Structures are given as structure tokens and as C-alpha cells.
Amino acid sequence: MHPTIGILGAGRVGTALARQAVKAGYRVRIATAQPAADIELLVNIVTPGAEAVEASEAAASDLVIMAIPLHKYRTLSPADLTGKVVIDAMNYWAPVDGVHDDFEADARTSSEVVAAFLGGSHVVKSLNHIGYHEMEEDDRPAGDASRRALAVAGDDPAAKELVQRFIDRLGYDAVDAGPLAAGRAFQPATAIFTGSYTAPELHALVRHPLAA
Ligand SMILES: NC(=O)c1ccc[n+]([C@@H]2O[C@H](COP(=O)([O-])OP(=O)(O)OC[C@H]3O[C@@H](n4cnc5c(N)ncnc54)[C@H](OP(=O)(O)O)[C@@H]3O)[C@@H](O)[C@H]2O)c1
């Protein structure tokens, strides 16, 4: 049995990930901050096979993906996400998010800020450094020499393992970048964020991060 996947956000990233996860055989539940009925038609058309649900139902899934504009992270429910394994696919991108002291004036990575807000979740940063339009195009079977790799950073080994298995089934190699703080290596304005790499290339880059 695959874990059920809950996606918070039905925009560009959320719907692309939903389609890719349905294709990989997962049961996918997707939500916005609006009532499920408001997105049901959109979900049926744009992400066939996924189920439109309330945000609290998506959060009750085995693996939850946060795919909302980062500046809205305080609209997430820490109570709903307590104890859950949560992928942070979000980026701090001031031109889109606006300038926010939560991220500008804080030395921590954006994922650490979000993890501290959530408090009781096992946050794993990943899926943030691949464009939404690439998610369904760059997948390759395991073992393919050109298979693209995605970095994974988190403080909980079991949570990271669950996320790595998910990424593999989506069609990508998962590269363990280290603890959540190591997500700095693949935030915006890094070489990893702006490029596309195989696992050996990405392993080298997470050890020696470069600016873009
Ligand atoms: N664009 C890319 O290629 C790309 C790639 C990787 C990662 N990212 C990151 O992924 C995140 C999402 O980007 P996007 O381009 O998909 O954004 P988007 O197209 O603007 O979609 C955002 C979605 O989040 C929903 N939302 C807002 N608050 C919510 C909440 N509290 N609970 C559940 N859903 C909520 C919105 O719906 P309502 O407002 O109606 O609730 C909307 O469906 C961003 O942080 C971005 O940096 C983007």
C-alpha cells in the first residue's frame, strides 16, 4: 500500500504534483483554503484521479505537501499538521511573495521558519527546486543515467526516508542533503535551484553549495 498524499495548494505546483502522484499510483487529496466544493470541478478537470477535499482532510494524509505561496504560511493549521510528515515545496521569492521580515530578518532558512511555526510536524524540504512545468516532463525510470535528482533536507530520518521513497516513485532520484538547515543549499539564488542535475552531480553540490 502506498501512503496517501495530501496536497495543500491547487495552483501550478500543487496540480502538477497531484497529476504526477496519481500517475505513480498514489491516492491523492488536494485542497486550497477554500471549501472543497469550490475546487471540485477544477480538480476533476485539471487533476483527474485526485480528490478535492478540505484542507484539514488533506492534512490528515500520510504524507502532506505544502504548495502554497510562502507568505501565506501562517494560514496553515499547525494543529492539523501535528505529527505529520510534511514536504515544504515552498520558496521565499520576494518578487512574488513581497518582502517579509519573517524571512529577511531571520537567519534561518525559510523551511526552518515554517517548521518552527508548525511546531509539531516533521518538515522535509524538497520539490522546491524543480519548475512546475518540469515535474511531469523530467521524470525517468530508476537506473536511467540521465535521471534528474531532487534534494531532500530534514531533521527526522524516518520522515526523510518516506519522502525519498515518494520522490523515487515520482520518477526522480532523491539526494539526502542533511538536516533541515541544509536546505539553504537549494533555496532560490543557488546553483541547485537554478539548474538540473543527476544524483552524482547533486551529491557533489550539496556538499559544496555554490551561489547561482
Ligand atoms: N512555480 C513553480 O515552478 C514552483 C516550483 C517549485 C516550488 N514552488 C513554490 O510552490 C509554492 C506554490 O507555488 P505555485 O506557483 O503553485 O502557487 P499558485 O499557483 O499561486 O497556487 C497557490 C495555491 O495555494 C492555495 N492556498 C493558499 N493558501 C492556502 C492554505 N492555507 N491552504 C491550502 N491552500 C492554500 C491557493 O488557493 P486559495 O488561495 O484559493 O486558497 C492556490 O491554489 C510557492 O511557495 C512557490 O515558491 C513554485
Side-chain angles (χ1 to χ4, degrees):
M1 276 292 283
H2 294 328
T4 55
I5 308 300
I7 302 179
L8 296 170
R12 288 162 290 197
V13 173
T15 55
L17 280 173
R19 285 190 296 271
Q20 193 67 4
V22 166
K23 189 171 113 185
Y26 289 98
R27 179 178 172 205
V28 177
R29 302 190 283 194
I30 186 164
T32 65
Q34 318 307 320
D38 287 10
I39 62 162
E40 203 172 338
L41 183 62
L42 168 105
V43 167
N44 288 341
I45 293 169
V46 178
T47 64
E51 189 187 347
V53 296
E54 306 296 329
S56 58
E57 292 175 85
S61 304
D62 299 316
L63 178 58
V64 184
I65 305 172
M66 299 184 290
I68 76 171
L70 183 59
H71 67 272
K72 293 190 172 172
Y73 78 99
R74 287 180 182 276
T75 66
L76 296 164
S77 164
D80 286 351
L81 292 167
T82 296
K84 309 304 297 188
V85 178
V86 183
I87 300 180
D88 178 10
M90 304 181 291
N91 293 301
Y92 177 52
W93 195 242
V96 173
D97 287 296
V99 174
H100 285 273
D101 274 357
D102 284 15
F103 307 107
E104 296 282 342
D106 196 312
R108 295 174 298 177
T109 62
S110 63
S111 290
E112 289 172 283
V113 172
V114 173
F117 168 73
L118 294 178
S121 306
H122 306 292
V123 175
V124 177
K125 185 180 191 70
S126 194
L127 298 172
N128 68 302
H129 66 93
I130 176 168
Y132 74 94
H133 52 286
E134 298 167 335
M135 285 170 183
E136 297 165 276
E137 292 175 359
D138 288 3
D139 60 317
R140 299 283 182 277
D144 187 310
S146 67
R147 198 183 206 209
R148 185 169 177 175
L150 300 178
V152 172
D155 296 332
D156 181 311
K160 268 203 295 201
E161 206 181 303
L162 182 66
V163 172
Q164 286 177 285
R165 280 201 299 273
F166 174 63
I167 287 173
D168 180 54
R169 286 201 66 89
L170 289 188
Y172 298 88
D173 283 336
V175 167
D176 187 352
L180 194 60
R184 188 177 304 285
F186 52 99
Q187 290 193 144
T190 61
I192 294 175
F193 188 85
T194 51
S196 171
Y197 303 97
T198 63
E201 292 167 341
L202 190 53
H203 271 295
L205 273 171
V206 295
R207 275 197 298 273
H208 303 288
L210 296 173

